Amino acid sequence: MARKKPRGTPPTLQQVWISGIVAAVIAVGAIIVKSEFDSRHGVMRHSSIVTWITVPVLLIFGIYAVGRLADGIGRFLARRSIEAAAAVVRLVATGVGYLLVLIAVFELLGVSIAHLIIGFGLAGVVLGIAAQQSLGNIFASLVLLFARPFSVGEHIRIRSGTIGVVDAWVLGIGLTYVTLQTEDGLLKVPNSVVLASGIGKLDSPPHRLP
């Protein structure tokens, strides 16, 4: 007999992918059903009934699919020893996915996409100005994680006009900061500062002469 998994065991990566894809297919199916009904019958008395059936289906399964697929992408990257990138990519994929679901819901409700795009554009500009530094650090973390000028655990030298010359061990790469171990203790440097700095790898420990 096959052994049953204990309760509370997290689903496997394959189960996460399958459940996310199935939910995405159901969500897309709701969009197709509504579009086909409107194209064949136009605006009728039953059109609102179809709308209020397909919209909750799209919303529930769309949100579930986004969460599962983003989690699957994060787990896949974590398995490839890119744990810091996994968190960043999961966050970006979740945000983009929720935005697409929201646009699809408004489309089913008959709201003008052009007005939505203008509204999102204006909101994006305001948000971008208000959170310019934070967003810059998040995008800088993506560049650092995928370009990989250094990795966690390496001994590096950073030359920057902001922090000067720093020799340190890399302890972690987060969404907004790179955590370094220097001779004077822990130092958290914004990702945008690190990205704009000159970076070199050091082979010798910090307390040993080359």
Side-chain angles (χ1 to χ4, degrees):
M1 295 179 60
R3 296 179 60 185
K4 293 183 178 180
K5 289 185 177 181
R7 292 183 180 180
T9 302
T12 63
L13 180 59
Q14 183 179 8
Q15 291 173 331
V16 170
W17 281 117
I18 292 175
S19 59
I21 292 173
V22 170
V25 170
I26 295 175
V28 173
I31 299 174
I32 295 174
V33 169
K34 180 63 168 61
S35 300
E36 287 294 322
F37 183 87
D38 289 345
S39 63
R40 292 185 181 184
H41 303 284
V43 179
M44 297 176 57
R45 183 165 57 92
H46 300 294
S47 180
S48 60
I49 299 176
V50 175
T51 299
W52 291 112
I53 292 175
T54 54
V55 166
V57 171
L58 170 61
L59 195 58
I60 293 171
F61 286 94
I63 291 175
Y64 181 82
V66 169
R68 283 297 192 176
L69 294 176
D71 184 39
I73 295 173
R75 289 193 185 190
F76 175 76
L77 292 175
R79 284 189 174 185
R80 298 176 66 89
S81 300
I82 319 178
E83 295 184 4
V88 177
V89 173
R90 186 186 294 112
L91 177 65
V92 174
T94 302
V96 173
Y98 286 161
L99 180 61
L100 293 177
V101 171
L102 185 61
I103 291 175
V105 167
F106 280 120
E107 176 68 17
L108 292 189
L109 293 174
V111 180
S112 173
I113 296 298
H115 292 164
L116 283 177
I117 293 176
I118 293 174
F120 282 130
L122 292 175
V125 170
V126 174
L127 180 62
I129 294 174
Q132 183 178 2
Q133 186 172 1
S134 297
L135 292 175
N137 285 327
I138 292 174
F139 284 108
S141 69
L142 287 173
V143 176
L144 291 174
L145 291 167
F146 287 102
R148 305 189 77 171
F150 54 83
S151 301
V152 175
E154 289 185 335
H155 186 213
I156 63 172
R157 173 170 294 166
I158 299 176
R159 295 181 181 272
S160 169
T162 304
I163 61 175
V165 179
V166 176
D167 292 350
W169 293 95
V170 181
L171 299 183
I173 306 173
L175 283 176
T176 53
Y177 294 96
V178 174
T179 304
L180 304 174
Q181 177 66 56
T182 68
E183 294 183 358
D184 298 325
L186 288 178
L187 179 66
K188 289 184 177 291
V189 183
N191 292 329
S192 57
V193 173
V194 176
L195 185 62
S197 304
I199 301 171
K201 296 182 180 180
L202 302 175
D203 295 328
S204 59
H207 299 294
R208 184 182 303 170
L209 292 176

